Amino acid sequence: MFNKLSGALHLQDGSKHVVSVKLGGYVKLNCIVKVDKETILDDSLKLEFLPWDNKEKIVPFIQQQVQMHTKIVNDHLPDEEYLFDETHPRLDAGLFDHVAHDIPTPFYVKKLLKLFEEQLNDPTTKTRKATYEKIIFDNIANYSSEFIELFQQAQFDESIVQQEALWLLKHAAHREVVKFSITVLGCTDCEKYKELLFTLGMHEEFTPYVLFALKNGTIRANTQVWQLAQSVRGWGKIAAVEGLEATTPEIKQWLLTEGCSNSIMDEYLAYTCAVKGELDVALYEETISKELYDGAGLIIQALLNERSAEGIEEYPYASAVLSRFVYHARTHCQTLEDFYPLMKINGFLKADSEVWEERFNEQWKQHEYTSIQQAIQPFMNDAKWPRLVMDALQQENNVKALEIAFFYQLDVSQNLFDMLEKNPTNSALYVAVMDANNRKYIEDICTFAETHLTLTSLSNEEQNCLQCIVQDLYGHEGVGVPLLQAALASDNGSLQYHALSVLEGWSPSIAQQPTLQEIIQNIAMTTKDKEDRELAKRLLEK
């Protein structure tokens, strides 16, 4: 592809000459200059496109933030402009590695390792470019284990490996290159790079890779792992707490008081903190601090939540911990916040007899259940909690107070909808209503959602709210049909699955409504998800 420029050149002697310039090329920049059709220049320059050139570098970007604020205040990275768009929305830092489950291209790791070996043997722009471009072709989360194993078998010269890993870190304008370089450093004795690694680990996109490097390539790494766990709040904290060894009383205390809380979901860390922090031992003391009571309450709430992958049913010291927590509540339960975990424990105790029969067959004893039930009842019967709830709801938007109000069957409809009007995409409010399982409230909140959420173009926050409703409509036939329709019409696979499942459990006549039939038929024909496709087909056959 060439561009041509032409013009007239007038000299002082009055002569006129026609000048033309031809520029273009793919791998070379060719330049041809002619004057009056006579070629006076014909030259070319090889074009070298380097993937790290003219882009902001990631490592200095992180270092500057940490230097200025001693923490990461903006978890956006410079490469986001060419990673995310309207069809690929931005994810929380560190989340992509949890959802990336693609199978690497066959022989990808061996080819990458071969290119890196060539770079080590001949570190030139050419070899570095080849490695760099191969790294950004795939996500290291898909192949890190295989790469580490093969890399360690190769036994490269460690000093050259570190030299080239640091070169890649310095020039990295893509996050995958940073992750690759940290991993490579972690396969060496990287004690002298501890400070650099720790700084990078403060960004949650890189925390898991830094944890590997610290634990595999440095001595006494647990101190840095604990410091990292205290410096991050999201997916990085989850990784750090899971990798932390509870080797001292101070670490155990921190796990029980601060370790569980995170910005993603407390349920991810509750079991880990309870086990590593030895919650059962800590609560066995005759007296405990208010700080421990609060931390234990948070862990217990998360263990009791059905969303926990490892929850109260898997926790081996459940009866002892619940019993001792209720015991310590006699000293520390003064506010609604203090009372909230007790309400959750009471809900756990109120499960169906069939559920408890199974628990008695597993790890629970009848006398343990009876003892906790008797100990908690005076708290449940205390008339001060309904009074405190109404006072709290008059003063602020308090979701926990709302849940306690539902527990005591107080009429707080006005309070609920005042809170929703102020924040119609507060998913916690929808969860509280659906968990209360009161049909009147559920009907009302469905009506609210139908009029306040943009059902034809759902934002991420609106999708979360819709999910909270739809996934709990199974036992409420006929309620929220417009919401089910919006869920089916969305491109959110989880919403579609729950909507299809709800309709399957309802009377066939509802799914046979023409508007729903059309959307279900479209899902049956176009979805790539096998389970959704089969669900849709079953509904069409009813």
Side-chain angles (χ1 to χ4, degrees):
M1 180 178 175
F2 284 84
N3 288 314
K4 190 174 181 180
L5 304 172
S6 61
L9 178 64
H10 298 272
L11 300 182
Q12 290 181 348
D13 61 5
S15 61
K16 177 182 176 182
H17 303 275
V18 177
V19 180
S20 66
V21 180
K22 197 175 181 181
L23 291 169
Y26 289 103
V27 295
K28 291 182 179 180
L29 176 63
N30 298 289
C31 180
I32 303 171
V33 179
K34 292 182 179 182
V35 178
D36 296 334
K37 297 185 179 180
E38 180 183 347
T39 301
I40 64 170
L41 176 67
D42 187 348
D43 202 357
S44 62
L45 176 67
K46 186 177 180 182
L47 298 174
E48 189 80 59
F49 295 105
L50 299 176
W52 56 81
D53 267 2
N54 304 310
K55 297 182 179 75
E56 186 175 0
K57 305 302 183 282
I58 290 176
V59 172
F61 174 82
I62 294 173
Q63 288 174 320
Q64 184 178 15
Q65 276 203 60
V66 173
Q67 186 177 2
M68 290 177 62
H69 307 285
T70 68
K71 62 181 180 179
I72 300 296
V73 294
N74 175 14
D75 66 0
H76 288 250
L77 288 172
D79 64 347
E80 293 188 2
E81 61 182 283
Y82 39 89
L83 278 181
F84 306 124
D85 54 30
E86 294 80 5
T87 56
H88 298 86
R90 182 183 183 274
L91 302 176
D92 291 332
L95 174 57
F96 183 80
D97 286 348
H98 288 268
V99 299
H101 298 299
D102 293 336
I103 299 173
T105 305
F107 310 112
Y108 174 83
V109 174
K110 290 183 178 179
K111 177 63 175 175
L112 174 59
L113 197 59
K114 184 173 184 295
L115 290 172
F116 189 56
E117 183 177 7
E118 292 173 0
Q119 177 183 337
L120 297 176
N121 294 332
D122 182 24
T124 63
T125 298
K126 180 180 178 181
T127 58
R128 287 165 171 167
K129 177 174 180 281
T131 305
Y132 193 109
E133 290 178 336
K134 195 68 175 177
I135 294 170
I136 62 178
F137 180 79
D138 201 352
N139 304 106
I140 193 170
N142 293 324
Y143 65 82
S144 59
S145 298
E146 181 186 356
F147 177 82
I148 291 167
E149 182 181 352
L150 293 179
F151 184 90
Q152 292 175 331
Q153 291 173 7
Q155 297 184 327
F156 297 125
D157 183 304
E158 191 164 284
S159 63
I160 299 177
V161 166
Q162 291 182 345
Q163 168 193 300
E164 291 309 300
L166 291 170
W167 187 94
L168 286 168
L169 270 182
K170 179 181 177 182
H171 291 81
H174 298 75
R175 64 189 64 194
E176 292 302 319
V177 178
V178 178
K179 295 174 185 178
F180 174 88
S181 306
I182 293 171
T183 302
V184 167
L185 277 180
C187 292
T188 70
D189 178 359
C190 53
E191 183 72 25
K192 60 184 175 181
Y193 304 114
K194 244 180 181 178
E195 185 177 345
L196 170 63
L197 289 168
F198 185 88
T199 298
L200 297 179
M202 292 177 75
H203 195 291
E204 313 216 26
E205 187 71 28
F206 307 116
T207 311
Y209 301 91
V210 169
L211 292 171
F212 164 76
L214 290 173
K215 297 182 79 171
N216 194 67
T218 72
I219 59 175
R220 293 185 290 276
N222 202 53
T223 301
Q224 277 70 40
V225 174
W226 186 24
Q227 289 175 350
L228 266 183
Q230 296 173 77
S231 303
V232 286
R233 289 288 303 155
W235 290 106
K237 181 172 184 178
I238 291 168
V241 170
E242 289 174 345
L244 179 63
E245 297 174 18
T247 53
T248 66
E250 291 77 18
I251 293 178
K252 291 179 181 178
Q253 174 76 2
W254 180 83
L255 284 167
L256 297 180
T257 56
E258 300 180 52
C260 181
S261 175
N262 65 83
S263 62
I264 306 299
M265 195 166 74
D266 296 340
E267 287 74 12
Y268 281 125
L269 290 177
Y271 187 91
T272 299
C273 290
V275 172
K276 287 186 178 183
E278 297 181 344
L279 180 59
D280 56 312
V281 175
L283 293 183
Y284 192 75
E285 297 293 332
E286 184 62 26
T287 60
I288 64 171
S289 66
K290 181 62 164 58
E291 184 184 28
L292 178 56
Y293 178 86
D294 293 340
L298 186 67
I299 292 172
I300 289 169
Q301 290 171 53
L303 287 173
L304 290 170
N305 196 312
E306 294 178 355
R307 295 180 296 177
S308 291
E310 289 182 297
I312 201 72
E313 306 293 358
E314 291 76 30
Y315 183 52
Y317 308 111
S319 61
V321 161
L322 297 186
S323 175
R324 293 302 297 173
F325 184 80
V326 175
Y327 170 82
H328 291 298
R330 298 185 304 178
T331 302
H332 295 296
C333 185
Q334 304 295 327
T335 68
L336 291 175
E337 191 78 21
D338 303 331
F339 174 74
Y340 187 77
L342 295 176
M343 184 189 74
K344 292 295 185 180
I345 293 172
N346 185 71
F348 172 77
L349 296 173
K350 296 293 184 184
D352 294 340
S353 57
E354 294 83 0
V355 174
W356 273 105
E357 186 175 338
E358 186 176 341
R359 288 171 181 164
F360 292 142
N361 290 332
E362 297 288 336
Q363 56 168 305
W364 279 80
K365 302 290 187 294
Q366 177 69 54
H367 70 86
E368 295 170 337
Y369 165 80
T370 303
S371 174
I372 298 172
Q373 192 177 48
Q374 290 174 348
I376 206 171
Q377 209 54 48
F379 292 99
M380 300 299 108
N381 295 338
D382 193 333
K384 77 175 181 180
W385 304 119
R387 291 198 304 271
L388 289 176
V389 162
M390 297 309 297
D391 290 342
L393 290 176
Q394 294 296 326
Q395 298 170 22
E396 58 181 329
N397 293 342
N398 188 323
V399 176
K400 287 185 177 179
L402 190 66
E403 287 189 54
I404 298 171
F406 289 150
F407 171 74
Y408 283 109
Q409 298 182 341
L410 305 176
D411 183 5
V412 288
S413 300
Q414 189 60 52
N415 305 86
L416 168 63
F417 289 102
D418 285 346
M419 294 163 72
L420 280 167
E421 287 288 351
K422 291 178 182 176
N423 191 353
T425 56
N426 182 350
S427 58
L429 291 172
Y430 294 88
V431 171
V433 173
M434 300 309 293
D435 283 351
N437 204 29
N438 180 304
R439 187 177 176 95
K440 176 63 169 64
Y441 278 124
I442 291 174
E443 288 175 348
D444 289 344
I445 205 166
C446 284
T447 301
F448 178 88
E450 290 164 17
T451 56
H452 287 74
L453 303 183
T454 53
L455 300 182
T456 56
S457 181
L458 293 160
S459 66
N460 290 337
E461 292 81 5
E462 289 175 323
Q463 288 183 42
N464 291 337
C465 295
L466 190 57
Q467 173 100 5
C468 295
I469 297 174
V470 170
Q471 68 188 8
D472 281 337
L473 285 178
Y474 293 89
H476 301 280
E477 183 168 315
V479 177
V481 173
L483 301 181
L484 292 178
Q485 181 177 327
L488 292 171
S490 74
D491 57 1
N492 184 310
S494 180
L495 277 174
Q496 288 183 341
Y497 169 77
H498 282 293
L500 290 168
S501 300
V502 167
L503 288 171
E504 187 180 38
W506 287 3
S507 300
S509 60
I510 299 176
Q512 288 168 4
Q513 295 178 17
T515 52
L516 292 178
Q517 280 280 295
E518 184 179 346
I519 302 173
I520 294 169
Q521 192 167 25
N522 183 58
I523 293 173
M525 294 172 60
T526 62
T527 184
K528 295 180 180 179
D529 188 283
K530 183 180 178 182
E531 192 170 0
D532 285 1
R533 188 165 59 249
E534 291 176 353
L535 265 172
K537 287 179 178 178
R538 288 201 298 270
L539 285 170
L540 293 171
E541 292 167 358
K542 281 191 175 184

